[in-house]
Amino acid sequence: MIDWSDGYHTEALYTYGYYKELSPSLQKLAVLLAGYETLPSTENDVHMELGFGQGISINIHAASQQGSYIGNDFNPSHVAHAQLLAHASHSHIELSDASFAQMDARTDLPMCNSISLHGIWSWINDENRQHIVNIIQKHLKPGGIVYNSYNSISGHAGFLPWRHMMWQHYQQQTGTALERIDHTIKHFSAMFESNPSLLDNNPALKSTWERIQSADRHYLLHEYFNANWDCFSLSQVNELMQTAKLQFVGTTTSNAYINHLAMDENRLAQVQAQPNVLAAESWRDVLLGNTFRQDLYIKGGESLSPQGILRRLQKLRFVCTVTEDLFTNFLFNPQDSRHFNADLFDPIKAELVNNAYAPKSFTQLQAAVGSKYTWQQILQVVLLKIHAGHLQPCVELETQQTRQQSHDLNLALLGKLDDKISGVYVASPVTGMALTLEYIYAWCLRTWLQQADATQNDIAENIWQGLQAHGRVLVDEAGKSLSTREEHFKLIASKLSNASALRQVWQTLGLLP
C-alpha cells in the first residue's frame, strides 16, 4: 500500500477548531506592538496557510478580510470539507491537498503578505520543515509576516520520555487508531494509579497527563500519536527561519506588555535584563515552563519608536464580542483573584459598550481613562481582553463583499447545528475573526438570520425541535440532563435574558443586518 502520510495520521479526521492567531489582522497588531511597520491592507493582499486542517480558520479569514487566500492540507477529506465552506462563501480562496514538497515545487505561487502554520512544525519531519522554509523564502513579500507555533522544549522536557513510551505502546496494539489510543491510555492510567509518586514527583507529566485523560480522542491522535512529535527551543527554530531572511519579533500575545502581570519580580527582572526579544522570550520559556510557542517573524520591516507605535495604535479600533455583563474585570481568567484597578478598567468598559457597542479607537479609550494611566497600561487591558475572547481588533477596511461573504459562510457554519449539539464559529466582517458561539446562542443567531422578528419563544421552539430531531437534550449549569420541554424552555430563557444586548453586539459585528 502506498503511504502518502509522511507519518501523520489520516485514519481519523482532525478536530474542527478555529485559531485566532492565524488572523492577518491580529498578527499585524502584534507585529506593530513589537515595534515594526506592517504592510497596509489592500484588496490585492495574498495570505497563505500551510496545513489548514478542516479549514475553519482559513475560510473565516478569507470570507471576512480583504485579499485572496491560498492553503494546503494533504488530507483530501480535510480539503473536501474546507472546499464546501469556500463554495458557500464565494470568497477568493484556493485550497489543495498538495504536500509541502509539492507546494515547494510550485512555480505559480504569488508573493504573500503572510504565511502561517499552526500546530504543524512539531508534527512533521526535518525534510518537510525545510520545504516550509523554502516556501517562505520564495513567496513571502518584503515586510511580510510569518506565524509559526510549535511545542516548546522548556515545558515538555519531563514529558518527552513518557510520550515516547506511549507511542511505543500504541504501536504494539491492534484495532483502529482510536481503539489503540484507548488501550494505551488505560494501560498508563493503571500504571500511574499503582505508582502515584511518578506523577507527584513530575509536575509537568502530571499536568499533561490530566489533559490527556479528558481530551477528545481525535485530538489526541493528531497531537501525541504521530511518528513525529518534536519539541524545540526558540533559538533552534529561529536559526532555521533566519535562512529565509526572517527576523523574530515576538509572539501573538505581545508578552512584553503583560509579562509583569504573569511573572514574579525575580523572574521578570531576569527577562527584562536580556539584550533582545529573542533572549527575553527564551528565558521566559524556561522560567515559566512554557509548553507551546506562537511566534511571529517579519521579512525586513521598518522599525518604529515607542512614539511611532503609539501613533499607529491610536488609529486602530477595537470592538466588544460579548455583552456588557460578560465583559468582566479579571486579568487572565474568571478564577483568577487578580483584577485591574477599577478606575482603569471601568472607563474602558464604559467606552466600549457606549453607542450600542460601536467600535472605538485606541485614542477614544485613552480619552475615556484620562492621564492617570499610561497608554501601555491601557493596552494591557486591551490585550488581555483579546486573549479572553471579549474584545477584537477591527479590520482596516470592511467592504460590502466581505460582509456578504461572511453572511454566506455563517449560514453554512450554522447549518452544522443540524448535525451536532455543540457550538460553532461564525465570521465577523468587522474584525476579520471568528466568534465562538455555544449551542443556544448559535441557534439564536441562526433563527434571527432566517426570521428577523423571531421572538424568544420562536428561538426556544427551534432549539427544542432541533434537539428532538436528533434525540438530544441540553444540560443545565449543575450538569443535570434536562428531559422535558418546560425544563429546556426555562434554561433557554435564562440564557437569552440579555437577548436585546446580544443582538446589538451581533449587529455591530456584522453578524446581523
Side-chain angles (χ1 to χ4, degrees), residues 270-288:
Q270 180 65 25
V271 170
Q272 291 182 333
Q274 302 311 309
N276 54 55
V277 65
L278 182 71
E281 282 290 315
S282 297
W283 270 104
R284 187 182 192 277
D285 284 347
V286 172
L287 294 172
L288 293 182

Side-chain angles (χ1 to χ4, degrees), residues 43 98 190 230 234 239 256 426 431 436 482-483 507 509:
E43 62 182 11
D230 298 314
L234 170 57
E239 286 178 8
V426 290
T431 68
T436 305
L482 306 183
S483 57
Q507 286 173 331
L509 290 168

Side-chain angles (χ1 to χ4, degrees), residues 83-384:
Q83 286 178 332
L84 287 175
L85 295 179
H87 178 75
S89 69
H90 307 289
S91 56
H92 299 294
I93 183 169
E94 176 197 323
L95 304 171
S96 77
D97 63 346
S99 67
F100 296 131
Q102 291 169 325
M103 292 289 284
D104 186 6
R106 284 182 59 174
T107 59
D108 62 332
L109 290 175
M111 297 300 289
C112 298
N113 292 64
S114 74
I115 298 177
S116 300
L117 49 151
H118 181 81
I120 301 296
W121 194 260
S122 288
W123 292 267
I124 56 177
N125 57 29
D126 288 338
E127 180 182 352
N128 278 310
R129 281 188 278 268
Q130 186 59 57
H131 284 308
I132 289 173
V133 173
N134 294 344
I135 293 167
I136 293 169
Q137 187 172 25
K138 290 184 290 187
H139 300 292
L140 184 68
K141 294 178 182 177
I145 295 170
V146 167
Y147 165 74
N148 182 24
S149 60
Y150 53 92
N151 287 330
S152 171
I153 189 69
S154 299
H156 280 300
F159 175 63
L160 279 173
W162 289 98
R163 184 268 164 187
H164 179 72
M165 296 303 294
M166 289 168 59
W167 167 245
Q168 293 294 319
H169 187 87
Y170 167 87
Q171 288 183 298
Q172 296 165 6
Q173 305 308 302
T174 59
T176 67
L178 296 180
E179 288 171 344
R180 285 184 282 164
I181 285 180
D182 279 331
H183 292 320
T184 302
I185 291 178
K186 288 177 181 177
H187 175 80
F188 279 81
S189 292
M191 184 192 60
F192 288 139
E193 287 175 7
S194 301
N195 301 275
S197 62
L198 291 173
L199 295 179
D200 294 338
N201 296 332
N202 189 337
L205 172 62
K206 184 176 183 179
S207 175
T208 302
W209 182 246
E210 289 173 350
R211 292 198 303 271
I212 288 174
Q213 287 183 298
S214 60
D216 177 84
R217 295 298 188 258
H218 290 80
Y219 167 79
L220 292 178
L221 177 64
H222 293 270
E223 173 69 21
Y224 294 114
F225 292 92
N226 284 296
N228 300 289
W229 193 88
D230 298 314
C231 300
F232 303 89
S233 67
L234 170 57
S235 60
Q236 286 176 306
V237 179
N238 181 65
E239 286 178 8
L240 194 52
M241 291 296 184
Q242 283 182 321
T243 65
K245 300 182 180 180
L246 298 182
Q247 178 177 345
F248 174 73
V249 298
T251 71
T252 53
T253 50
S254 302
N255 290 330
Y257 293 93
I258 59 174
N259 271 337
H260 69 286
L261 301 175
M263 308 177 75
D264 59 42
E265 291 183 4
N266 293 330
R267 298 183 204 188
L268 179 64
Q270 180 65 25
V271 170
Q272 291 182 333
Q274 302 311 309
N276 54 55
V277 65
L278 182 71
E281 282 290 315
S282 297
W283 270 104
R284 187 182 192 277
D285 284 347
V286 172
L287 294 172
L288 293 182
N290 187 29
T291 59
F292 194 68
R293 289 204 57 83
Q294 297 171 308
D295 294 342
L296 288 169
Y297 292 82
I298 193 168
K299 185 178 183 179
E302 179 183 353
S303 60
L304 299 169
S305 66
Q307 293 75 23
I309 296 173
L310 177 58
R311 284 195 300 271
R312 288 156 181 80
L313 177 61
Q314 287 173 329
K315 298 176 183 178
L316 299 184
R317 298 177 305 143
F318 302 88
V319 64
C320 286
T321 57
V322 295
T323 53
E324 181 177 0
D325 58 312
L326 296 178
F327 197 92
T328 51
N329 183 1
F330 57 79
L331 289 189
F332 293 98
N333 58 68
Q335 290 72 43
D336 196 321
S337 62
R338 296 171 298 167
H339 296 77
F340 287 106
N341 292 341
D343 57 352
L344 169 62
F345 182 83
D346 291 349
I348 293 175
K349 177 178 178 177
E351 182 65 22
L352 287 167
V353 303
N354 186 35
N355 191 23
Y357 298 91
K360 306 300 188 307
S361 69
F362 194 79
T363 296
Q364 289 174 286
L365 300 183
Q366 284 184 285
V369 171
S371 59
K372 181 176 180 179
Y373 291 95
T374 66
W375 67 268
Q376 290 93 339
Q377 290 170 313
I378 297 170
L379 179 60
Q380 289 160 16
V381 179
V382 170
L383 290 175
L384 290 178

Side-chain angles (χ1 to χ4, degrees), residues 16 54-56 59-60 63 80-91 403-420 422-427 442-443 445-447 449-450 511:
Y16 294 79
Q54 294 285 357
I56 302 295
N59 269 288
I60 285 175
H81 176 263
Q83 286 178 332
L84 287 175
L85 295 179
H87 178 75
S89 69
H90 307 289
S91 56
R403 183 172 282 264
Q404 185 63 51
Q405 290 172 174
S406 297
H407 171 80
D408 293 343
L409 176 62
N410 289 342
L411 288 178
L413 292 168
L414 289 165
K416 294 182 179 298
L417 290 169
D418 293 327
D419 304 317
K420 62 178 183 177
S422 62
V424 299
Y425 306 102
V426 290
W443 262 105
L445 176 60
R446 175 173 162 170
T447 303
L449 283 170
Q450 296 171 338
L511 306 184

